[in-house]
Short mmCIF file of all heavy atoms in Angstrom, two decimals:
data_model
loop_
_atom_site.label_atom_id
_atom_site.label_comp_id
_atom_site.label_asym_id
_atom_site.label_seq_id
_atom_site.Cartn_x
_atom_site.Cartn_y
_atom_site.Cartn_z
N ARG A 47 45.90 9.73 49.32
CA ARG A 47 44.86 10.33 48.48
C ARG A 47 43.79 9.28 48.22
O ARG A 47 43.20 8.77 49.14
CB ARG A 47 45.46 10.89 47.21
CG ARG A 47 46.33 12.08 47.52
CD ARG A 47 46.93 12.69 46.31
NE ARG A 47 46.21 13.82 45.79
CZ ARG A 47 46.52 14.44 44.68
NH1 ARG A 47 47.53 14.03 43.95
NH2 ARG A 47 45.83 15.46 44.26
N ALA A 48 43.58 8.95 46.96
CA ALA A 48 42.47 8.08 46.60
C ALA A 48 42.65 6.67 47.16
O ALA A 48 43.75 6.26 47.53
CB ALA A 48 42.38 8.01 45.09
N GLY A 49 41.52 5.94 47.18
CA GLY A 49 41.61 4.58 47.69
C GLY A 49 40.81 3.54 46.93
O GLY A 49 40.92 2.35 47.21
N VAL A 50 40.00 3.98 45.96
CA VAL A 50 39.11 3.02 45.30
C VAL A 50 39.48 2.87 43.83
O VAL A 50 39.51 3.85 43.08
CB VAL A 50 37.64 3.49 45.42
CG1 VAL A 50 36.71 2.57 44.65
CG2 VAL A 50 37.21 3.54 46.89
N TRP A 188 36.06 18.54 52.09
CA TRP A 188 36.08 17.33 52.92
C TRP A 188 37.23 17.44 53.91
O TRP A 188 38.35 17.79 53.52
CB TRP A 188 36.33 16.08 52.06
CG TRP A 188 35.15 15.52 51.36
CD1 TRP A 188 33.93 16.12 51.19
CD2 TRP A 188 35.09 14.25 50.70
NE1 TRP A 188 33.11 15.27 50.46
CE2 TRP A 188 33.80 14.13 50.16
CE3 TRP A 188 36.01 13.21 50.52
CZ2 TRP A 188 33.39 13.00 49.44
CZ3 TRP A 188 35.62 12.09 49.81
CH2 TRP A 188 34.31 11.98 49.27
N LEU A 202 32.31 0.22 52.17
CA LEU A 202 32.29 1.67 52.33
C LEU A 202 30.87 2.15 52.66
O LEU A 202 29.90 1.56 52.16
CB LEU A 202 32.77 2.35 51.04
CG LEU A 202 34.27 2.62 50.93
CD1 LEU A 202 35.07 1.33 51.00
CD2 LEU A 202 34.60 3.37 49.65
N TYR A 204 28.50 5.61 52.52
CA TYR A 204 28.28 7.00 52.13
C TYR A 204 27.04 7.45 52.89
O TYR A 204 25.96 6.93 52.66
CB TYR A 204 28.03 7.09 50.62
CG TYR A 204 29.26 6.83 49.77
CD1 TYR A 204 29.68 5.53 49.49
CD2 TYR A 204 29.98 7.90 49.23
CE1 TYR A 204 30.80 5.30 48.71
CE2 TYR A 204 31.10 7.67 48.44
CZ TYR A 204 31.50 6.37 48.18
OH TYR A 204 32.61 6.15 47.40
N LEU A 213 31.79 9.97 55.10
CA LEU A 213 32.18 8.75 54.37
C LEU A 213 33.06 7.88 55.24
O LEU A 213 34.01 8.37 55.86
CB LEU A 213 32.93 9.15 53.09
CG LEU A 213 33.60 8.03 52.29
CD1 LEU A 213 32.60 6.99 51.79
CD2 LEU A 213 34.34 8.61 51.07
N SER A 215 35.57 4.78 54.96
CA SER A 215 36.35 3.94 54.04
C SER A 215 37.49 3.30 54.83
O SER A 215 37.50 3.36 56.08
CB SER A 215 36.85 4.79 52.87
OG SER A 215 37.63 4.04 51.98
N MET A 216 38.41 2.70 54.15
CA MET A 216 39.48 1.98 54.86
C MET A 216 40.73 1.88 53.99
O MET A 216 40.67 2.12 52.78
CB MET A 216 39.00 0.59 55.24
CG MET A 216 38.62 -0.25 54.04
SD MET A 216 37.52 -1.62 54.45
CE MET A 216 35.96 -0.82 54.71
N ARG A 217 41.84 1.55 54.58
CA ARG A 217 43.07 1.32 53.84
C ARG A 217 43.63 -0.08 54.08
O ARG A 217 44.35 -0.61 53.25
CB ARG A 217 44.13 2.35 54.21
CG ARG A 217 43.89 3.71 53.61
CD ARG A 217 44.05 3.68 52.08
NE ARG A 217 43.77 4.98 51.50
CZ ARG A 217 42.56 5.42 51.18
NH1 ARG A 217 41.51 4.64 51.37
NH2 ARG A 217 42.39 6.61 50.65
N ARG A 223 39.72 4.98 57.01
CA ARG A 223 39.81 6.29 56.35
C ARG A 223 38.42 6.91 56.42
O ARG A 223 37.43 6.27 56.02
CB ARG A 223 40.27 6.09 54.90
CG ARG A 223 40.34 7.34 54.08
CD ARG A 223 41.62 8.08 54.28
NE ARG A 223 41.78 9.16 53.32
CZ ARG A 223 42.35 10.32 53.62
NH1 ARG A 223 42.81 10.56 54.83
NH2 ARG A 223 42.49 11.25 52.70
N TYR A 225 35.88 10.63 56.15
CA TYR A 225 35.74 12.01 55.67
C TYR A 225 34.48 12.63 56.23
O TYR A 225 33.46 11.95 56.40
CB TYR A 225 35.62 12.03 54.14
CG TYR A 225 36.82 11.51 53.38
CD1 TYR A 225 36.88 10.18 52.96
CD2 TYR A 225 37.89 12.34 53.07
CE1 TYR A 225 37.97 9.70 52.24
CE2 TYR A 225 38.99 11.88 52.35
CZ TYR A 225 39.02 10.55 51.94
OH TYR A 225 40.10 10.08 51.22
N PRO A 296 35.58 14.08 44.89
CA PRO A 296 35.94 12.69 45.20
C PRO A 296 34.77 11.75 45.52
O PRO A 296 34.97 10.55 45.66
CB PRO A 296 36.88 12.83 46.41
CG PRO A 296 36.59 14.17 46.99
CD PRO A 296 36.10 15.03 45.88
N THR A 297 33.55 12.27 45.60
CA THR A 297 32.40 11.46 46.02
C THR A 297 32.17 10.24 45.12
O THR A 297 31.66 9.22 45.58
CB THR A 297 31.12 12.33 46.04
OG1 THR A 297 31.47 13.67 46.33
CG2 THR A 297 30.14 11.82 47.06
N GLY A 298 32.52 10.32 43.86
CA GLY A 298 32.33 9.17 42.98
C GLY A 298 33.53 8.25 42.91
O GLY A 298 33.50 7.22 42.23
N ALA A 299 34.64 8.62 43.58
CA ALA A 299 35.89 7.85 43.58
C ALA A 299 36.43 7.63 42.16
O ALA A 299 36.83 6.53 41.80
CB ALA A 299 35.68 6.51 44.30
N TYR A 388 29.72 3.23 39.34
CA TYR A 388 30.67 3.17 40.47
C TYR A 388 31.79 2.16 40.19
O TYR A 388 32.96 2.44 40.43
CB TYR A 388 29.93 2.82 41.76
CG TYR A 388 30.76 3.05 43.00
CD1 TYR A 388 30.83 4.30 43.59
CD2 TYR A 388 31.50 2.01 43.57
CE1 TYR A 388 31.61 4.52 44.72
CE2 TYR A 388 32.28 2.21 44.69
CZ TYR A 388 32.34 3.47 45.26
OH TYR A 388 33.13 3.68 46.38
C1 PHB B 2 38.97 6.84 50.09
O1 PHB B 2 39.05 5.72 50.62
O2 PHB B 2 39.87 7.69 50.20
C2 PHB B 2 37.78 7.21 49.30
C3 PHB B 2 36.81 6.26 49.06
C4 PHB B 2 35.68 6.59 48.31
C5 PHB B 2 35.54 7.87 47.83
C6 PHB B 2 36.53 8.83 48.05
C7 PHB B 2 37.63 8.49 48.79
O3 PHB B 2 34.42 8.19 47.12
#
Side-chain angles (χ1 to χ4, degrees):
R47 292 181 97 185
V50 175
W188 279 13
L202 270 60
Y204 289 81
L213 171 61
S215 179
M216 60 201 75
R217 285 293 178 275
R223 177 83 170 144
Y225 297 95
T297 330
Y388 193 85

